[in-house]
């Protein structure tokens, strides 16, 4: 027997909203996706611009959740707080570029000059081993190469030499496809000047 008039409530068709186990699991799944992105961003920020951290190289070691309400409690909504411990594997991009350049130079018999600053690197799938602290990465690097040619050394070799002697010297440079000797003024010909400042060697790469 109520001493006061009834107020509030709802119609007989209203459904009472209570927290279910599915609600808890759904909240964990949703927040975990955001955690992964947040940890990757935090790891990159901590490492600095000098280091590279790939998305696969972040490991969520431990995540603990706190819920404002329990399963079965009647409520319109609830809050979730997550505390995360994570680790990441980072590497210096300059170190990797040096490795790529060294491999390219080695494969060419060290006959090319490589511009390290212009190397473009693209990263594929990474396979990290967090326990060992190692990581396998698929890497594609592209760069422009130049002939490994010592211009100054060549210039010194031809100073004071005749055209015939220059041809003999060129035989020691099998990578040179074609060479042309011109004199200025045109009526001066026959020998390369003895002074290095009067000789210019132009390499067409």
């Amino acid at each position: 027997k109520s001493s006061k008039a009834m107020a509030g409530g709802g119609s007989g068709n209203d459904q009472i909203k209570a927290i279910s186990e599915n609600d808890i699991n759904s909240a964990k799944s949703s927040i975990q996706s955001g955690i992964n992105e947040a940890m990757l961003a935090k790891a990159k920020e901590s490492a600095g611009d000098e280091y590279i951290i790939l998305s696969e190289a972040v490991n969520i070691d431990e995540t603990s959740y706190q819920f404002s309400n329990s399963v079965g409690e009647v409520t319109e909504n609830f809050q979730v707080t997550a505390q995360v411990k994570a680790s990441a594997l980072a590497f210096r991009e300059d170190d990797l570029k040096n490795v790529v350049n060294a491999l390219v130079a080695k494969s060419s018999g060290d006959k090319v000059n490589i511009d390290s600053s212009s190397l473009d690197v693209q990263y594929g799938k990474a396979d990290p081993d967090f326990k060992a602290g190692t990581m396998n990465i698929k890497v594609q690097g592209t760069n422009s190469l130049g002939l490994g040619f010592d211009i100054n050394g060549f210039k010194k070799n031809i100073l004071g030499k005749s055209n015939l002697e220059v041809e003999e010297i060129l035989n020691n440079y099998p990578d040179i496809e074609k060479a042309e000797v011109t004199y200025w003024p045109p009526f001066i010909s026959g020998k390369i000047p003895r002074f290095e400042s009067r000789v210019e060697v132009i390499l067409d790469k």
Side-chain angles (χ1 to χ4, degrees):
K1 199 171 183 180
S2 176
S3 60
K4 294 182 181 179
M6 298 283 185
S11 66
N13 296 324
D14 286 346
Q15 184 177 6
I16 297 175
K17 295 181 180 179
I19 300 175
S20 67
E21 194 69 42
N22 287 337
D23 292 331
I24 296 294
N25 293 334
S26 178
K28 285 183 179 181
S29 177
S30 177
I31 203 171
Q32 188 64 49
S33 176
I35 286 174
N36 292 340
E37 294 179 6
M39 288 298 98
L40 177 59
K42 185 65 176 178
K44 288 182 176 180
E45 179 186 341
S46 300
D49 296 335
E50 187 180 357
Y51 288 85
I52 298 293
I53 297 179
L54 303 177
S55 58
E56 300 95 339
V58 177
N59 181 46
I60 305 298
D61 298 326
E62 184 182 332
T63 305
S64 59
Y65 299 94
Q66 288 185 343
F67 295 88
S68 59
N69 301 81
S70 303
V71 174
E73 286 190 29
V74 178
T75 180
E76 288 286 336
N77 49 59
F78 60 93
Q79 293 182 341
V80 185
T81 303
Q83 188 170 2
V84 183
K85 182 179 179 182
S87 58
L89 293 177
F91 61 91
R92 293 180 69 251
E93 189 168 52
D94 287 346
D95 292 339
L96 186 137
K97 286 183 176 181
N98 290 337
V99 172
V100 174
N101 285 331
L103 290 173
V104 173
K106 184 178 180 180
S107 67
S108 67
D110 294 320
K111 293 182 179 180
V112 295
N113 291 326
I114 302 173
D115 183 4
S116 300
S117 61
S118 65
L119 178 64
D120 180 32
V121 178
Q122 294 180 341
Y123 301 102
K125 182 174 176 56
D127 183 18
D129 185 339
F130 294 98
K131 185 175 291 186
T134 60
M135 178 166 52
N136 292 326
I137 314 170
K138 291 185 181 294
V139 178
Q140 179 177 334
T142 56
N143 201 354
S144 56
L145 308 176
L147 182 65
F149 183 71
D150 183 4
I151 293 181
N152 292 329
F154 176 76
K155 182 190 291 189
K156 291 178 180 179
N157 286 339
I158 64 174
L159 294 178
K161 299 294 193 298
S162 66
N163 287 350
L164 183 60
E165 289 174 318
V166 171
E167 288 182 10
E168 293 176 354
I169 292 173
L170 286 171
N171 290 332
N172 298 322
Y173 296 87
D175 292 323
I176 296 180
E177 182 179 317
K178 179 183 177 182
E180 182 181 349
V181 180
T182 57
Y183 296 91
W184 182 262
F187 58 82
I188 299 177
S189 62
K191 277 193 174 185
I192 304 292
R194 293 182 178 275
F195 297 101
E196 189 174 347
S197 60
R198 297 181 182 179
V199 180
E200 182 181 14
V201 178
I202 301 174
L203 178 64
D204 182 3
K205 297 183 181 181

